[in-house]
Amino acid sequence: MKYKTLFAALFTVTLASTAVAQHNHAGHNHTMPGQTMASELARPVAGPHGGSLKQAGGVQLETVVSQGGIQMFVYDRNGRAVSVNQGRGAASLRVEGNAKRYRYDLLPDGKGGLTAPVNLSQIAGRQIEIDIQLVGIESSSGQPLSLKEVATVPASEIQLAAAAIARQKICPVSGKPLGSMGDPVAVDVNGQRVFVCCGGCVNAVKSDPAKYAAGRPQITVATSTAADAKAIAEQKVCPVMDEPLGGMGTPIKVTVGDKPIYLCCKGCIKKVQAEPAKYLAMVYGDQKGSGGVGSEGASAGDFSISVTSSTQADAALIARQKVCPVMDEPLGSMGNPIKVMVGDKPIFLCCKGCIKKIKAEPAKYLAMVYENQMGSGGVGVSGSVAAGTEQVREGIFKVSAEDNPFIAAQQKCPVMDEPLDAMGGPYKVHAAGKAIYICCPGCAKKIAAEPQKWLAVLAQQGVIAPTLR
């Protein structure tokens, strides 16, 4: 939260307030002749309006601090309300961490209290110190009353939710950052709120509240054993480093929820902990044998691939491509660029270490370099599809048999990186004249806000979004 301009905003809503100099020495306070300083009760006591109740000059004073300002209520020794219609007061306020003080007039509000209306919402959750002086109060023998109060400006429900979301950070079901799918959704788990990224994750939390009560996926780390040999053989490579499992010692077993992910070394653990959903998708794909680690999609066998060093004749093409599509590093920054011919199209790489990525997913990198101008060599299905008429929600359409080839080509939701049928989908949304398929309605907002971004994401995966007609 930025406080540079806080006080300019806070103190524009005062009632004829004027700044006055404050006289406040460290270690002691001055009381004006005839004034009575309020003494705190043995323990903090809540007043009838939920404020702090203290005694001064034979009466009881209740201070209520809210985002809308400061209120004072007065009661006699028996707790009966005392009229403040002839009363006046001043409140001098200082925010924790700031030496400057500001003065507000406390005036009768016609509801039995003295009020200083001021917007304190921008310092919600922060502690404030208030010096209060009151005059003209009945039952106080005509003496001015002084009171020092320390309070915290209460946070609104929206602010409390925002703070909880900031603490939780990620969805416990998908592992995606909260807010990446639109406004997070709150789910009650045994009286506590757990936030998920979208409506598609709500049922998962409700069906197993104990699993998701902590607000994040349960992740455990262990060294793999002989019992994991079959699973390791099926996974083949580390999803973080793309290195053969076992090539760097005994694989590490990271269990996300109830699904194991095997890693080449301990250094990869933090990557999985930071983005569990991403690596679950890489390892398990669509649970039908496609899209997981070791499944190459459009394999090298679909293209003729050759590798050479670039020459001076490639200089213009290298200048046009600029960066390596694998590492996103400037070409030439790691020596003479490597030239990989995929069919009749060259892709230039920063180093030899990137070659295996191109061989594994040639269509993906062709799309990245050539902006999806792949002719007939890509994994996408070119063509068009009906826009759709049966809406699930505004801008979200049910799919039909005509969509099936395009759904099969896309396979995963570009927003969630989840199988299209993982959360009740697929659904179809419109994106700059193209059709994009999503796993749940919660993803539509992201597509609508930045259609070109998500079309580019699909292009990087070698997917050609069909044209709408």
Side-chain angles (χ1 to χ4, degrees):
M1 187 181 296
K2 296 181 180 179
Y3 294 98
K4 185 169 64 176
T5 60
L6 171 63
F7 290 107
L10 289 180
F11 305 121
T12 56
V13 192
T14 60
L15 293 177
S17 296
T18 56
V20 296
Q22 301 295 317
H23 186 53
N24 182 22
H25 295 290
H28 66 280
N29 292 290
H30 293 279
T31 303
M32 296 294 291
Q35 283 187 325
T36 303
M37 288 295 296
S39 60
E40 296 193 21
L41 301 176
R43 298 180 63 184
V45 176
H49 296 87
S52 172
L53 194 63
K54 296 181 179 180
Q55 296 178 347
V59 297
Q60 301 180 69
L61 303 177
E62 182 184 9
T63 309
V64 180
V65 175
S66 69
Q67 291 195 9
I70 303 166
Q71 286 182 293
M72 296 296 303
F73 297 92
V74 184
Y75 311 93
D76 64 18
R77 294 182 181 276
N78 297 315
R80 291 187 294 264
V82 172
S83 174
V84 296
N85 290 338
Q86 303 303 314
R88 296 289 187 275
S92 173
L93 182 150
R94 183 181 69 84
V95 180
E96 178 187 25
N98 193 308
K100 194 172 183 179
R101 284 186 173 274
Y102 294 84
R103 180 187 183 279
Y104 304 97
D105 292 332
L106 288 160
L107 300 173
D109 58 14
K111 300 177 181 179
L114 298 172
T115 300
V118 58
N119 180 13
L120 301 179
S121 63
Q122 294 187 54
I123 55 170
R126 298 195 64 185
Q127 185 172 287
I128 60 173
E129 177 187 285
I130 315 170
D131 288 335
I132 298 170
Q133 294 184 352
L134 304 178
V135 296
I137 304 299
E138 295 180 11
S139 304
S140 63
S141 303
Q143 296 181 348
L145 302 175
S146 292
L147 171 69
K148 183 182 290 293
E149 185 65 75
V150 176
T152 299
V153 179
S156 67
E157 283 297 315
I158 292 176
Q159 290 169 328
L160 290 172
I165 290 167
R167 288 193 300 270
Q168 187 180 316
K169 296 181 181 178
I170 65 171
C171 172
V173 179
S174 71
K176 293 288 184 182
L178 292 173
S180 63
M181 299 283 295
D183 293 336
V185 180
V187 185
D188 183 84
V189 178
N190 299 324
Q192 295 185 336
R193 286 189 301 180
V194 172
F195 292 89
V196 294
C197 63
C198 66
C201 296
V202 172
N203 288 338
V205 176
K206 289 183 176 179
S207 64
D208 194 352
K211 179 178 179 180
Y212 298 107
R216 60 180 296 117
Q218 295 179 348
I219 300 177
T220 59
V221 179
T223 302
S224 60
T225 65
D228 299 304
K230 181 179 179 181
I232 291 171
E234 291 176 352
Q235 184 179 315
K236 298 180 184 177
V237 297
C238 170
V240 178
M241 293 295 289
D242 198 28
E243 293 291 336
L245 292 171
M248 301 176 69
T250 303
I252 303 299
K253 182 180 182 179
V254 178
T255 304
V256 182
D258 59 355
K259 288 183 168 58
I261 296 175
Y262 298 93
L263 309 177
C264 60
C265 64
K266 290 182 179 179
C268 297
I269 294 172
K270 63 182 180 181
K271 290 282 191 178
V272 177
Q273 290 175 328
E275 298 181 281
K278 171 182 174 179
Y279 293 102
L280 282 172
M282 291 177 69
V283 172
Y284 290 95
D286 59 7
Q287 305 297 322
K288 297 177 183 177
S290 64
V293 170
S295 174
E296 297 178 350
S299 68
D302 296 325
F303 300 87
S304 61
I305 296 179
S306 61
V307 181
T308 62
S309 292
S310 60
T311 66
Q312 186 61 35
D314 299 308
L317 293 175
I318 291 170
R320 185 184 304 165
Q321 184 180 314
K322 296 181 182 177
V323 298
C324 171
V326 178
M327 294 294 289
D328 198 30
E329 292 289 339
L331 292 171
S333 62
M334 300 184 185
N336 193 43
I338 303 299
K339 181 180 182 179
V340 180
M341 291 298 299
V342 182
D344 61 351
K345 287 183 168 33
I347 297 177
F348 297 94
L349 309 176
C350 60
C351 64
K352 291 181 178 180
C354 298
I355 295 172
K356 63 182 178 181
K357 288 280 192 179
I358 304 297
K359 288 183 174 180
E361 300 178 278
K364 169 182 176 180
Y365 292 102
L366 279 173
M368 292 176 69
V369 173
Y370 291 96
E371 298 180 341
N372 212 35
Q373 302 301 312
M374 298 184 296
S376 59
V379 298
V381 178
S382 61
S384 63
V385 69
T389 56
E390 190 173 357
Q391 294 194 69
V392 178
R393 297 183 192 171
E394 184 177 357
I396 306 170
F397 298 87
K398 287 187 177 181
V399 298
S400 66
E402 183 186 6
D403 296 289
N404 288 342
F406 305 103
I407 292 169
Q410 184 179 314
Q411 295 187 2
K412 291 185 179 181
C413 173
V415 179
M416 286 290 284
D417 196 30
E418 294 286 344
L420 288 170
D421 60 356
M423 299 183 185
Y427 301 97
K428 179 167 58 182
V429 293
H430 300 176
K434 301 282 188 176
I436 292 181
Y437 300 92
I438 57 176
C439 61
C440 68
C443 298
K445 184 184 295 185
K446 290 285 186 179
I447 304 288
E450 299 179 282
Q452 294 297 343
K453 170 185 174 180
W454 299 105
L455 287 169
V457 169
L458 290 179
Q460 290 173 5
Q461 298 168 357
V463 176
I464 305 171
T467 301
L468 292 167
R469 64 174 190 274

